[in-house]
Every structure is written in C-alpha cells, then in structure tokens.
Amino acid sequence: MNSDIALQAINLVKYFPTGSSGLLGRPDKSVKAVDGVSLTLRKGATLGIVGESGCGKSTLARVLTRLIEPTSGQVILNGADITHTSGKELRDVRQQMQMIFQDPVSSLNPRHSIGQIIGMPFTVQGQFDKEATPVRVRELMKLVGLNPEHFNRYPHEFSGGQRQRIGIARALALNPSVVIADEPVSALDVSVRAQILNLLEGLQAELNLSLVFIAHDLSVVRHIADEVAVMYLGKIVERGPAATVYTHPAHPYTKALLSAVPIQDPSSRGGAGRIRLQGDVPSPIDPPSGCRFRTRCWKAEALCEEQEPLLTDDGSGRLVACHFPEETPVAIGNRAQ
C-alpha cells in the first residue's frame, strides 16, 4: 500500500436488515445504506463527503471508525487492515482514528464534567494518570480555544460552539492521525460555523491530521476539503480534486447540488439558474435499476435504466459514475471566510 495513504475504504458495504419472514426468520429485505464505496484519504489532506440527508454519509463514517460492523469490504488504516479487528487490537485502532460527532449536545454526557469528558479516552485506554491526565486535559482545552479554568463545569453551561470544541478536544486526546468529522457544524449558527472550520484547519496544520469531513452543505466542504466525494443513495457518484469538482462538476447530481449554493451574483451562473430535482429520493431498500439517480435526472435515457454506470476516470484525475456526464462549468459562491 502507498505510504502516503492514511485511510482507505475498498468496496465497503453496509446493509441493515429491515425484518424477517419465513420459518427460519431470514431477513427478506435490507436497507442498502452503503453499497460498494471505495475512498482514499491522503496523509495530511482533507476528504470532503457530501450529499443529501439519507444518502449514507453518517453510516459510512461509523463503518470507517468501526463503530458499526461492515457487511463486506475492507477498511485500511495506515497500511493495516482493521476490518475485523476486535478487543485490544480495536482499542489500539481507536488511538489512531477518532470521530467528532454531529450533535454537540447528545454526544456529551451531561453527568460528567468537561474534565472527565475530555479525559475519558485516557481512562478507556488504560492511560489515566492522576497527576498527568488533568494537565493534559487543560492543554487540550486551551488548544481548542476553551478556558482551562472551566475544567469542572458541565456541558449545559456551554454554548453550542463551545460544546463542539469539547468534542474536538476529546477526539484529539490520544493524538490520532485520522479524524472523521460527521457534520460537525450543521447544528451551529452560521457565525460559529466559520470559527469551528477555522479551528479544524488550524489543528490539521499544527498536528498534521488527516481529516474526513462530512457535510450536506457544499459551501462548507469547499472551504476545507482538498478532495471531494459526492454520495447518492449509498454510492459515490463523483470524486476528485475539490477545485475540479466545484468548477466543472461532471455528474448531473453534483451539478444540481452546486446550483443550490447561494452566490453573490446570480447572473454569473450564465442564465442556467437553479436545477430543481423532481421527485423524492428513492428508497434505499429498493433502489432503481441501473443508475440510481436516473429517476430524478433530466439526462436519463434507456441505457441508464439498463446498465449501472461504473465510477471511472474522465482523464482529469476525477472519477464519475455517469453515462452522460456534464461538460458545462458552474459558478459557485465565494469561499467561506
């Protein structure tokens, strides 16, 4: 494996059985939450994963971190296959890869003080030291912009942005090389989002972190990502350098998402305007045949129903799964500050 790769997913699949039928009680149908996803995260880089709610982003994050077991496929962390690790080996994996959760309220135990929450990874890993751990916790609080004097306060005494900083400090406690952030700013006010994004960028540069950043807001991902992967109904439909994906989206779904991003000068879209997708997202229990996006795509033809498009390189280093990719550049909003 390339030594420059921090994290890799190879044909990752996660199905959730919906029920059972028959005498043996075998599952009759499954939710295809993640269905054959392959990704690569370079060391020191940020991979953005975007898509509508329900496309499988959060499930993918939990499979990558081994919070839930994959149905099939592989997860490679720093050159080691961690797909089936358990026990002590899995605890060792936790030191190398941590997660920042979406909701900064429910992800923190209201009965524990901030010092206890941030110090919990040391306890779980058997690294707790009565004297050294509180010192390290206060260092982490200062690192993420919290007042170390608030060590004994509880989560309800902090704002939403401060609670997310607590979650970030907890994720960094064990000095991981890979951090997966699952929509870490979606529950925050716009002004606070920028602060958290700038914090993550600064920490990444200072600590040489490799970051997977998941969001449904494309303007947020554009601010922080080096590469972008677009998910639709459990599959990656486009993946490549952020600059290429954002200015020259090849998949119609990517183009539709980008058309919804607010811009200062709407006339710069060249008269294209917003693309409004028709219909609802199909059920992940019974996805459409062929291309899963075809039921909402304005370019769909018979081939799209008959044959599933493969994720292939279009010659520019960008991968796209579409029989009739887009070619027109797209004007998008200004980079977030």
Side-chain angles (χ1 to χ4, degrees):
M1 179 177 174
N2 191 332
S3 60
D4 188 47
I5 296 176
L7 180 67
Q8 188 174 17
I10 302 175
N11 199 27
L12 210 54
V13 172
K14 180 59 184 179
Y15 290 174
F16 295 98
T18 59
S20 59
S21 63
L23 296 176
L24 298 179
R26 293 174 179 171
D28 53 357
K29 290 186 178 181
S30 296
V31 175
K32 299 176 175 62
V34 177
D35 200 3
V37 168
S38 295
L39 293 171
T40 299
L41 172 65
R42 293 180 292 105
K43 290 184 177 179
T46 298
L47 171 65
I49 301 178
V50 300
E52 294 171 288
S53 296
C55 72
K57 306 186 300 297
S58 293
T59 301
L60 175 61
R62 283 158 175 74
V63 173
L64 289 173
T65 52
R66 290 294 317 283
L67 292 177
I68 57 177
E69 294 292 321
T71 301
S72 63
Q74 289 180 284
V75 180
I76 311 295
L77 176 64
N78 294 322
D81 189 338
I82 66 168
T83 313
H84 303 294
T85 55
S86 60
K88 184 181 182 302
E89 290 183 351
L90 185 56
R91 286 198 298 273
D92 292 340
V93 167
R94 301 282 188 234
Q95 296 187 51
Q96 301 178 53
M97 179 166 55
Q98 285 288 312
M99 187 167 176
I100 301 170
F101 296 93
Q102 177 178 355
D103 188 350
V105 178
S106 63
S107 65
L108 304 178
N109 191 329
R111 297 178 180 272
H112 288 177
S113 69
I114 301 312
Q116 291 174 308
I117 290 173
I118 299 176
M120 186 59 68
F122 300 109
T123 302
V124 172
Q125 291 288 336
Q127 300 178 11
F128 180 82
D129 184 294
K130 189 173 182 180
E131 295 182 359
T133 297
V135 174
R136 175 58 179 157
V137 169
R138 287 182 169 88
E139 291 175 349
L140 287 164
M141 292 178 68
K142 186 176 181 180
L143 181 67
V144 300
L146 294 170
N147 188 342
E149 295 180 1
H150 297 164
F151 181 91
N152 291 316
R153 291 190 178 183
Y154 288 82
H156 72 272
E157 300 180 76
F158 294 86
S159 67
Q162 289 174 322
R163 284 193 286 257
Q164 195 57 287
R165 290 174 187 267
I166 295 166
I168 294 171
R170 178 179 58 186
L172 298 177
L174 299 173
N175 297 315
S177 60
V178 175
V179 172
I180 297 180
D182 182 17
E183 303 210 38
V185 298
S186 64
L188 305 177
D189 293 338
V190 174
S191 59
V192 180
R193 290 182 186 183
Q195 296 173 18
I196 298 300
L197 288 173
N198 289 334
L199 171 64
L200 288 173
E201 281 193 307
L203 291 172
Q204 182 181 28
E206 181 177 349
L207 304 176
N208 194 31
L209 296 172
S210 304
L211 182 64
V212 176
F213 190 94
I214 296 172
H216 62 266
D217 187 336
L218 275 77
S219 60
V220 168
V221 174
R222 184 188 179 214
H223 174 71
I224 197 169
D226 301 298
E227 296 182 78
V228 174
V230 182
M231 282 191 75
Y232 183 79
L233 212 59
K235 287 185 173 290
I236 300 296
V237 297
E238 185 166 356
R239 178 167 61 112
T244 303
V245 172
Y246 273 81
T247 57
H248 290 79
H251 198 283
Y253 178 61
T254 308
K255 188 171 184 177
L257 291 178
L258 288 172
S259 75
V261 176
I263 62 176
Q264 292 182 351
D265 181 13
S267 64
S268 64
R269 293 197 194 274
R274 179 174 177 180
I275 300 172
R276 299 184 181 276
L277 298 177
Q278 302 299 314
D280 297 324
V281 178
S283 170
I285 297 176
D286 188 22
S289 62
C291 175
R292 296 189 176 188
F293 183 61
R294 66 175 176 79
T295 58
R296 305 172 74 196
C297 183
W298 62 94
K299 302 183 72 174
E301 296 187 12
L303 177 63
C304 303
E305 180 178 359
E306 299 166 358
Q307 182 178 330
E308 180 179 352
L310 301 178
L311 197 63
T312 55
D313 195 323
D314 66 355
S316 66
R318 179 250 309 279
L319 302 175
V320 59
C322 182
H323 295 300
F324 308 103
E326 294 284 325
E327 298 179 355
T328 307
V330 171
I332 55 177
N334 293 331
R335 183 180 175 90
Q337 299 298 321

mmCIF file of all heavy atoms in Angstrom, residues 242-289:
data_model
loop_
_atom_site.group_PDB
_atom_site.id
_atom_site.type_symbol
_atom_site.label_atom_id
_atom_site.label_comp_id
_atom_site.label_asym_id
_atom_site.label_seq_id
_atom_site.Cartn_x
_atom_site.Cartn_y
_atom_site.Cartn_z
ATOM 1 N N ALA A 242 -11.091 19.037 -5.195
ATOM 2 C CA ALA A 242 -12.189 19.951 -4.890
ATOM 3 C C ALA A 242 -12.348 21.025 -5.959
ATOM 4 O O ALA A 242 -13.472 21.337 -6.380
ATOM 5 C CB ALA A 242 -11.959 20.590 -3.520
ATOM 6 N N ALA A 243 -11.246 21.588 -6.415
ATOM 7 C CA ALA A 243 -11.320 22.658 -7.411
ATOM 8 C C ALA A 243 -11.988 22.172 -8.691
ATOM 9 O O ALA A 243 -12.792 22.891 -9.305
ATOM 10 C CB ALA A 243 -9.923 23.192 -7.709
ATOM 11 N N THR A 244 -11.690 20.950 -9.109
ATOM 12 C CA THR A 244 -12.277 20.396 -10.331
ATOM 13 C C THR A 244 -13.755 20.092 -10.159
ATOM 14 O O THR A 244 -14.584 20.449 -10.999
ATOM 15 C CB THR A 244 -11.538 19.105 -10.738
ATOM 16 O OG1 THR A 244 -10.153 19.383 -10.910
ATOM 17 C CG2 THR A 244 -12.100 18.541 -12.024
ATOM 18 N N VAL A 245 -14.100 19.446 -9.045
ATOM 19 C CA VAL A 245 -15.490 19.058 -8.810
ATOM 20 C C VAL A 245 -16.382 20.292 -8.681
ATOM 21 O O VAL A 245 -17.510 20.316 -9.194
ATOM 22 C CB VAL A 245 -15.600 18.178 -7.559
ATOM 23 C CG1 VAL A 245 -17.060 17.924 -7.186
ATOM 24 C CG2 VAL A 245 -14.881 16.848 -7.776
ATOM 25 N N TYR A 246 -15.883 21.337 -8.037
ATOM 26 C CA TYR A 246 -16.713 22.507 -7.791
ATOM 27 C C TYR A 246 -16.885 23.404 -9.011
ATOM 28 O O TYR A 246 -17.917 24.039 -9.177
ATOM 29 C CB TYR A 246 -16.149 23.318 -6.621
ATOM 30 C CG TYR A 246 -16.650 22.831 -5.277
ATOM 31 C CD1 TYR A 246 -16.073 21.725 -4.667
ATOM 32 C CD2 TYR A 246 -17.703 23.456 -4.639
ATOM 33 C CE1 TYR A 246 -16.533 21.262 -3.452
ATOM 34 C CE2 TYR A 246 -18.176 23.003 -3.417
ATOM 35 C CZ TYR A 246 -17.588 21.909 -2.829
ATOM 36 O OH TYR A 246 -18.049 21.443 -1.625
ATOM 37 N N THR A 247 -15.888 23.484 -9.867
ATOM 38 C CA THR A 247 -15.988 24.358 -11.042
ATOM 39 C C THR A 247 -16.441 23.628 -12.298
ATOM 40 O O THR A 247 -17.041 24.232 -13.184
ATOM 41 C CB THR A 247 -14.637 25.048 -11.323
ATOM 42 O OG1 THR A 247 -13.622 24.048 -11.504
ATOM 43 C CG2 THR A 247 -14.245 25.951 -10.166
ATOM 44 N N HIS A 248 -16.162 22.314 -12.369
ATOM 45 C CA HIS A 248 -16.563 21.535 -13.542
ATOM 46 C C HIS A 248 -17.194 20.218 -13.102
ATOM 47 O O HIS A 248 -16.655 19.129 -13.348
ATOM 48 C CB HIS A 248 -15.356 21.255 -14.447
ATOM 49 C CG HIS A 248 -14.837 22.460 -15.150
ATOM 50 N ND1 HIS A 248 -14.030 23.390 -14.526
ATOM 51 C CD2 HIS A 248 -15.015 22.897 -16.427
ATOM 52 C CE1 HIS A 248 -13.719 24.347 -15.395
ATOM 53 N NE2 HIS A 248 -14.305 24.076 -16.536
ATOM 54 N N PRO A 249 -18.344 20.265 -12.411
ATOM 55 C CA PRO A 249 -18.994 19.021 -11.984
ATOM 56 C C PRO A 249 -19.381 18.173 -13.187
ATOM 57 O O PRO A 249 -19.946 18.671 -14.157
ATOM 58 C CB PRO A 249 -20.225 19.520 -11.230
ATOM 59 C CG PRO A 249 -20.505 20.869 -11.808
ATOM 60 C CD PRO A 249 -19.171 21.457 -12.117
ATOM 61 N N ALA A 250 -19.076 16.886 -13.112
ATOM 62 C CA ALA A 250 -19.358 16.001 -14.236
ATOM 63 C C ALA A 250 -20.671 15.249 -14.065
ATOM 64 O O ALA A 250 -21.339 14.935 -15.051
ATOM 65 C CB ALA A 250 -18.207 15.008 -14.428
ATOM 66 N N HIS A 251 -21.060 14.944 -12.838
ATOM 67 C CA HIS A 251 -22.300 14.202 -12.617
ATOM 68 C C HIS A 251 -23.471 15.173 -12.492
ATOM 69 O O HIS A 251 -23.363 16.206 -11.823
ATOM 70 C CB HIS A 251 -22.197 13.350 -11.356
ATOM 71 C CG HIS A 251 -23.206 12.260 -11.291
ATOM 72 N ND1 HIS A 251 -24.536 12.484 -10.952
ATOM 73 C CD2 HIS A 251 -23.112 10.928 -11.547
ATOM 74 C CE1 HIS A 251 -25.198 11.349 -10.987
ATOM 75 N NE2 HIS A 251 -24.363 10.373 -11.341
ATOM 76 N N PRO A 252 -24.598 14.891 -13.129
ATOM 77 C CA PRO A 252 -25.759 15.786 -13.022
ATOM 78 C C PRO A 252 -26.189 16.053 -11.583
ATOM 79 O O PRO A 252 -26.633 17.152 -11.255
ATOM 80 C CB PRO A 252 -26.850 15.030 -13.796
ATOM 81 C CG PRO A 252 -26.105 14.187 -14.770
ATOM 82 C CD PRO A 252 -24.847 13.775 -14.066
ATOM 83 N N TYR A 253 -26.061 15.060 -10.713
ATOM 84 C CA TYR A 253 -26.442 15.254 -9.311
ATOM 85 C C TYR A 253 -25.538 16.294 -8.651
ATOM 86 O O TYR A 253 -26.010 17.169 -7.906
ATOM 87 C CB TYR A 253 -26.361 13.926 -8.570
ATOM 88 C CG TYR A 253 -26.680 14.021 -7.100
ATOM 89 C CD1 TYR A 253 -27.925 14.458 -6.648
ATOM 90 C CD2 TYR A 253 -25.727 13.661 -6.144
ATOM 91 C CE1 TYR A 253 -28.216 14.545 -5.307
ATOM 92 C CE2 TYR A 253 -26.017 13.733 -4.791
ATOM 93 C CZ TYR A 253 -27.260 14.181 -4.373
ATOM 94 O OH TYR A 253 -27.544 14.264 -3.037
ATOM 95 N N THR A 254 -24.240 16.215 -8.903
ATOM 96 C CA THR A 254 -23.304 17.200 -8.360
ATOM 97 C C THR A 254 -23.644 18.594 -8.862
ATOM 98 O O THR A 254 -23.638 19.575 -8.107
ATOM 99 C CB THR A 254 -21.862 16.854 -8.763
ATOM 100 O OG1 THR A 254 -21.583 15.492 -8.430
ATOM 101 C CG2 THR A 254 -20.862 17.756 -8.062
ATOM 102 N N LYS A 255 -23.965 18.684 -10.143
ATOM 103 C CA LYS A 255 -24.316 19.982 -10.715
ATOM 104 C C LYS A 255 -25.583 20.539 -10.081
ATOM 105 O O LYS A 255 -25.674 21.749 -9.806
ATOM 106 C CB LYS A 255 -24.504 19.853 -12.232
ATOM 107 C CG LYS A 255 -24.688 21.185 -12.944
ATOM 108 C CD LYS A 255 -24.654 21.016 -14.448
ATOM 109 C CE LYS A 255 -24.742 22.381 -15.144
ATOM 110 N NZ LYS A 255 -24.650 22.259 -16.617
ATOM 111 N N ALA A 256 -26.549 19.675 -9.801
ATOM 112 C CA ALA A 256 -27.785 20.126 -9.169
ATOM 113 C C ALA A 256 -27.520 20.623 -7.749
ATOM 114 O O ALA A 256 -28.071 21.643 -7.320
ATOM 115 C CB ALA A 256 -28.801 18.990 -9.153
ATOM 116 N N LEU A 257 -26.674 19.920 -7.014
ATOM 117 C CA LEU A 257 -26.339 20.351 -5.659
ATOM 118 C C LEU A 257 -25.635 21.713 -5.675
ATOM 119 O O LEU A 257 -25.935 22.589 -4.865
ATOM 120 C CB LEU A 257 -25.441 19.312 -4.981
ATOM 121 C CG LEU A 257 -26.066 17.969 -4.623
ATOM 122 C CD1 LEU A 257 -25.005 17.067 -4.002
ATOM 123 C CD2 LEU A 257 -27.236 18.137 -3.668
ATOM 124 N N LEU A 258 -24.715 21.872 -6.588
ATOM 125 C CA LEU A 258 -23.965 23.125 -6.660
ATOM 126 C C LEU A 258 -24.841 24.290 -7.097
ATOM 127 O O LEU A 258 -24.604 25.439 -6.697
ATOM 128 C CB LEU A 258 -22.785 22.976 -7.623
ATOM 129 C CG LEU A 258 -21.627 22.115 -7.117
ATOM 130 C CD1 LEU A 258 -20.611 21.873 -8.224
ATOM 131 C CD2 LEU A 258 -20.952 22.779 -5.931
ATOM 132 N N SER A 259 -25.860 24.011 -7.893
ATOM 133 C CA SER A 259 -26.742 25.089 -8.346
ATOM 134 C C SER A 259 -27.554 25.672 -7.194
ATOM 135 O O SER A 259 -28.097 26.780 -7.301
ATOM 136 C CB SER A 259 -27.687 24.584 -9.439
ATOM 137 O OG SER A 259 -28.718 23.770 -8.894
ATOM 138 N N ALA A 260 -27.642 24.924 -6.085
ATOM 139 C CA ALA A 260 -28.406 25.397 -4.931
ATOM 140 C C ALA A 260 -27.555 26.217 -3.962
ATOM 141 O O ALA A 260 -28.084 26.784 -3.012
ATOM 142 C CB ALA A 260 -29.014 24.215 -4.183
ATOM 143 N N VAL A 261 -26.242 26.279 -4.201
ATOM 144 C CA VAL A 261 -25.366 27.063 -3.328
ATOM 145 C C VAL A 261 -25.562 28.545 -3.615
ATOM 146 O O VAL A 261 -25.415 28.980 -4.763
ATOM 147 C CB VAL A 261 -23.887 26.672 -3.552
ATOM 148 C CG1 VAL A 261 -22.971 27.559 -2.718
ATOM 149 C CG2 VAL A 261 -23.672 25.205 -3.212
ATOM 150 N N PRO A 262 -25.907 29.379 -2.622
ATOM 151 C CA PRO A 262 -26.112 30.812 -2.851
ATOM 152 C C PRO A 262 -24.831 31.492 -3.329
ATOM 153 O O PRO A 262 -23.733 31.169 -2.871
ATOM 154 C CB PRO A 262 -26.517 31.341 -1.464
ATOM 155 C CG PRO A 262 -26.977 30.145 -0.710
ATOM 156 C CD PRO A 262 -26.163 28.999 -1.219
ATOM 157 N N ILE A 263 -24.973 32.411 -4.281
ATOM 158 C CA ILE A 263 -23.841 33.195 -4.770
ATOM 159 C C ILE A 263 -24.204 34.665 -4.767
ATOM 160 O O ILE A 263 -25.376 35.044 -4.789
ATOM 161 C CB ILE A 263 -23.408 32.756 -6.192
ATOM 162 C CG1 ILE A 263 -24.537 32.986 -7.194
ATOM 163 C CG2 ILE A 263 -22.964 31.304 -6.193
ATOM 164 C CD1 ILE A 263 -24.130 32.661 -8.618
ATOM 165 N N GLN A 264 -23.197 35.532 -4.715
ATOM 166 C CA GLN A 264 -23.433 36.969 -4.631
ATOM 167 C C GLN A 264 -24.035 37.517 -5.917
ATOM 168 O O GLN A 264 -24.865 38.416 -5.901
ATOM 169 C CB GLN A 264 -22.121 37.696 -4.314
ATOM 170 C CG GLN A 264 -21.602 37.413 -2.905
ATOM 171 C CD GLN A 264 -20.330 38.181 -2.608
ATOM 172 O OE1 GLN A 264 -19.729 38.793 -3.490
ATOM 173 N NE2 GLN A 264 -19.912 38.152 -1.349
ATOM 174 N N ASP A 265 -23.612 36.969 -7.046
ATOM 175 C CA ASP A 265 -24.096 37.469 -8.333
ATOM 176 C C ASP A 265 -24.758 36.328 -9.107
ATOM 177 O O ASP A 265 -24.083 35.569 -9.808
ATOM 178 C CB ASP A 265 -22.933 38.060 -9.139
ATOM 179 C CG ASP A 265 -23.386 38.623 -10.487
ATOM 180 O OD1 ASP A 265 -24.614 38.785 -10.682
ATOM 181 O OD2 ASP A 265 -22.522 38.907 -11.333
ATOM 182 N N PRO A 266 -26.073 36.163 -8.990
ATOM 183 C CA PRO A 266 -26.762 35.065 -9.682
ATOM 184 C C PRO A 266 -26.572 35.079 -11.194
ATOM 185 O O PRO A 266 -26.622 34.032 -11.837
ATOM 186 C CB PRO A 266 -28.240 35.293 -9.315
ATOM 187 C CG PRO A 266 -28.196 36.069 -8.040
ATOM 188 C CD PRO A 266 -26.985 36.954 -8.161
ATOM 189 N N SER A 267 -26.333 36.271 -11.773
ATOM 190 C CA SER A 267 -26.153 36.354 -13.226
ATOM 191 C C SER A 267 -24.890 35.631 -13.683
ATOM 192 O O SER A 267 -24.752 35.278 -14.850
ATOM 193 C CB SER A 267 -26.106 37.812 -13.678
ATOM 194 O OG SER A 267 -24.973 38.470 -13.130
ATOM 195 N N SER A 268 -23.949 35.381 -12.729
ATOM 196 C CA SER A 268 -22.707 34.697 -13.099
ATOM 197 C C SER A 268 -22.922 33.226 -13.407
ATOM 198 O O SER A 268 -22.026 32.554 -13.894
ATOM 199 C CB SER A 268 -21.665 34.842 -11.981
ATOM 200 O OG SER A 268 -22.106 34.199 -10.803
ATOM 201 N N ARG A 269 -24.113 32.731 -13.123
ATOM 202 C CA ARG A 269 -24.416 31.348 -13.484
ATOM 203 C C ARG A 269 -24.626 31.176 -14.976
ATOM 204 O O ARG A 269 -24.835 30.076 -15.470
ATOM 205 C CB ARG A 269 -25.667 30.870 -12.743
ATOM 206 C CG ARG A 269 -25.511 30.744 -11.240
ATOM 207 C CD ARG A 269 -26.624 29.891 -10.676
ATOM 208 N NE ARG A 269 -26.743 29.987 -9.236
ATOM 209 C CZ ARG A 269 -26.057 29.246 -8.369
ATOM 210 N NH1 ARG A 269 -25.184 28.377 -8.821
ATOM 211 N NH2 ARG A 269 -26.237 29.396 -7.064
ATOM 212 N N GLY A 270 -24.601 32.272 -15.694
ATOM 213 C CA GLY A 270 -24.746 32.188 -17.138
ATOM 214 C C GLY A 270 -26.153 31.881 -17.573
ATOM 215 O O GLY A 270 -26.373 31.304 -18.637
ATOM 216 N N GLY A 271 -27.132 32.245 -16.753
ATOM 217 C CA GLY A 271 -28.522 32.019 -17.122
ATOM 218 C C GLY A 271 -29.017 30.620 -16.847
ATOM 219 O O GLY A 271 -30.175 30.294 -17.086
ATOM 220 N N ALA A 272 -28.156 29.773 -16.303
ATOM 221 C CA ALA A 272 -28.558 28.384 -16.047
ATOM 222 C C ALA A 272 -29.566 28.290 -14.907
ATOM 223 O O ALA A 272 -30.491 27.506 -14.948
ATOM 224 C CB ALA A 272 -27.322 27.541 -15.725
ATOM 225 N N GLY A 273 -29.380 29.125 -13.869
ATOM 226 C CA GLY A 273 -30.294 29.124 -12.750
ATOM 227 C C GLY A 273 -30.185 27.851 -11.917
ATOM 228 O O GLY A 273 -29.357 26.987 -12.156
ATOM 229 N N ARG A 274 -31.056 27.751 -10.922
ATOM 230 C CA ARG A 274 -31.033 26.599 -10.048
ATOM 231 C C ARG A 274 -31.701 25.401 -10.716
ATOM 232 O O ARG A 274 -32.714 25.536 -11.386
ATOM 233 C CB ARG A 274 -31.753 26.925 -8.744
ATOM 234 C CG ARG A 274 -31.783 25.728 -7.800
ATOM 235 C CD ARG A 274 -32.355 26.064 -6.454
ATOM 236 N NE ARG A 274 -32.428 24.873 -5.628
ATOM 237 C CZ ARG A 274 -32.888 24.847 -4.383
ATOM 238 N NH1 ARG A 274 -33.314 25.965 -3.827
ATOM 239 N NH2 ARG A 274 -32.933 23.722 -3.704
ATOM 240 N N ILE A 275 -31.092 24.242 -10.508
ATOM 241 C CA ILE A 275 -31.655 22.990 -11.021
ATOM 242 C C ILE A 275 -32.505 22.374 -9.917
ATOM 243 O O ILE A 275 -31.994 22.020 -8.849
ATOM 244 C CB ILE A 275 -30.541 22.015 -11.444
ATOM 245 C CG1 ILE A 275 -29.681 22.642 -12.545
ATOM 246 C CG2 ILE A 275 -31.130 20.693 -11.907
ATOM 247 C CD1 ILE A 275 -28.443 21.832 -12.887
ATOM 248 N N ARG A 276 -33.798 22.276 -10.144
ATOM 249 C CA ARG A 276 -34.702 21.708 -9.145
ATOM 250 C C ARG A 276 -35.007 20.251 -9.517
ATOM 251 O O ARG A 276 -35.657 19.982 -10.513
ATOM 252 C CB ARG A 276 -35.988 22.530 -9.066
ATOM 253 C CG ARG A 276 -35.742 23.969 -8.645
ATOM 254 C CD ARG A 276 -37.033 24.745 -8.465
ATOM 255 N NE ARG A 276 -36.776 26.117 -8.094
ATOM 256 C CZ ARG A 276 -36.557 26.547 -6.863
ATOM 257 N NH1 ARG A 276 -36.572 25.667 -5.870
ATOM 258 N NH2 ARG A 276 -36.318 27.822 -6.603
ATOM 259 N N LEU A 277 -34.511 19.352 -8.696
ATOM 260 C CA LEU A 277 -34.713 17.940 -8.965
ATOM 261 C C LEU A 277 -36.166 17.553 -8.719
ATOM 262 O O LEU A 277 -36.782 17.980 -7.746
ATOM 263 C CB LEU A 277 -33.793 17.100 -8.070
ATOM 264 C CG LEU A 277 -32.294 17.312 -8.270
ATOM 265 C CD1 LEU A 277 -31.508 16.481 -7.272
ATOM 266 C CD2 LEU A 277 -31.892 16.958 -9.693
ATOM 267 N N GLN A 278 -36.705 16.752 -9.592
ATOM 268 C CA GLN A 278 -38.089 16.313 -9.487
ATOM 269 C C GLN A 278 -38.178 15.005 -8.691
ATOM 270 O O GLN A 278 -37.289 14.151 -8.774
ATOM 271 C CB GLN A 278 -38.687 16.102 -10.887
ATOM 272 C CG GLN A 278 -38.646 17.352 -11.767
ATOM 273 C CD GLN A 278 -39.447 18.492 -11.174
ATOM 274 O OE1 GLN A 278 -40.582 18.294 -10.720
ATOM 275 N NE2 GLN A 278 -38.859 19.685 -11.174
ATOM 276 N N GLY A 279 -39.247 14.875 -7.927
ATOM 277 C CA GLY A 279 -39.469 13.633 -7.198
ATOM 278 C C GLY A 279 -38.645 13.521 -5.936
ATOM 279 O O GLY A 279 -37.813 14.376 -5.615
ATOM 280 N N ASP A 280 -38.875 12.457 -5.201
ATOM 281 C CA ASP A 280 -38.185 12.195 -3.942
ATOM 282 C C ASP A 280 -37.022 11.235 -4.160
ATOM 283 O O ASP A 280 -36.948 10.534 -5.168
ATOM 284 C CB ASP A 280 -39.147 11.591 -2.916
ATOM 285 C CG ASP A 280 -40.282 12.535 -2.562
ATOM 286 O OD1 ASP A 280 -40.028 13.762 -2.512
ATOM 287 O OD2 ASP A 280 -41.420 12.060 -2.357
ATOM 288 N N VAL A 281 -36.128 11.198 -3.162
ATOM 289 C CA VAL A 281 -35.036 10.233 -3.207
ATOM 290 C C VAL A 281 -35.634 8.831 -3.091
ATOM 291 O O VAL A 281 -36.438 8.565 -2.198
ATOM 292 C CB VAL A 281 -34.052 10.477 -2.049
ATOM 293 C CG1 VAL A 281 -32.937 9.438 -2.078
ATOM 294 C CG2 VAL A 281 -33.477 11.881 -2.128
ATOM 295 N N PRO A 282 -35.295 7.914 -3.985
ATOM 296 C CA PRO A 282 -35.844 6.550 -3.912
ATOM 297 C C PRO A 282 -35.476 5.858 -2.607
ATOM 298 O O PRO A 282 -34.538 6.254 -1.914
ATOM 299 C CB PRO A 282 -35.199 5.850 -5.119
ATOM 300 C CG PRO A 282 -34.810 6.954 -6.037
ATOM 301 C CD PRO A 282 -34.443 8.107 -5.156
ATOM 302 N N SER A 283 -36.195 4.818 -2.283
ATOM 303 C CA SER A 283 -35.933 4.074 -1.059
ATOM 304 C C SER A 283 -34.630 3.280 -1.180
ATOM 305 O O SER A 283 -34.406 2.600 -2.180
ATOM 306 C CB SER A 283 -37.085 3.112 -0.770
ATOM 307 O OG SER A 283 -36.742 2.228 0.280
ATOM 308 N N PRO A 284 -33.760 3.343 -0.154
ATOM 309 C CA PRO A 284 -32.530 2.534 -0.182
ATOM 310 C C PRO A 284 -32.821 1.045 0.003
ATOM 311 O O PRO A 284 -31.924 0.223 -0.149
ATOM 312 C CB PRO A 284 -31.724 3.091 0.993
ATOM 313 C CG PRO A 284 -32.741 3.679 1.908
ATOM 314 C CD PRO A 284 -33.838 4.195 1.033
ATOM 315 N N ILE A 285 -34.067 0.702 0.307
ATOM 316 C CA ILE A 285 -34.439 -0.713 0.402
ATOM 317 C C ILE A 285 -34.600 -1.309 -0.995
ATOM 318 O O ILE A 285 -34.223 -2.459 -1.238
ATOM 319 C CB ILE A 285 -35.755 -0.877 1.198
ATOM 320 C CG1 ILE A 285 -35.564 -0.384 2.633
ATOM 321 C CG2 ILE A 285 -36.224 -2.331 1.178
ATOM 322 C CD1 ILE A 285 -36.833 -0.424 3.457
ATOM 323 N N ASP A 286 -35.117 -0.516 -1.901
ATOM 324 C CA ASP A 286 -35.350 -0.992 -3.269
ATOM 325 C C ASP A 286 -34.911 0.092 -4.260
ATOM 326 O O ASP A 286 -35.746 0.741 -4.891
ATOM 327 C CB ASP A 286 -36.830 -1.330 -3.459
ATOM 328 C CG ASP A 286 -37.108 -2.005 -4.800
ATOM 329 O OD1 ASP A 286 -36.157 -2.578 -5.369
ATOM 330 O OD2 ASP A 286 -38.253 -1.944 -5.259
ATOM 331 N N PRO A 287 -33.596 0.326 -4.401
ATOM 332 C CA PRO A 287 -33.109 1.383 -5.292
ATOM 333 C C PRO A 287 -33.401 1.072 -6.755
ATOM 334 O O PRO A 287 -33.586 -0.095 -7.123
ATOM 335 C CB PRO A 287 -31.603 1.401 -5.024
ATOM 336 C CG PRO A 287 -31.285 0.042 -4.509
ATOM 337 C CD PRO A 287 -32.494 -0.404 -3.748
ATOM 338 N N PRO A 288 -33.459 2.095 -7.601
ATOM 339 C CA PRO A 288 -33.741 1.884 -9.026
ATOM 340 C C PRO A 288 -32.672 1.016 -9.693
ATOM 341 O O PRO A 288 -31.519 0.980 -9.252
ATOM 342 C CB PRO A 288 -33.724 3.306 -9.607
ATOM 343 C CG PRO A 288 -33.946 4.204 -8.435
ATOM 344 C CD PRO A 288 -33.309 3.524 -7.269
ATOM 345 N N SER A 289 -33.056 0.348 -10.746
ATOM 346 C CA SER A 289 -32.097 -0.423 -11.531
ATOM 347 C C SER A 289 -31.181 0.526 -12.283
ATOM 348 O O SER A 289 -31.500 1.701 -12.488
ATOM 349 C CB SER A 289 -32.841 -1.327 -12.519
ATOM 350 O OG SER A 289 -33.595 -0.527 -13.431
#
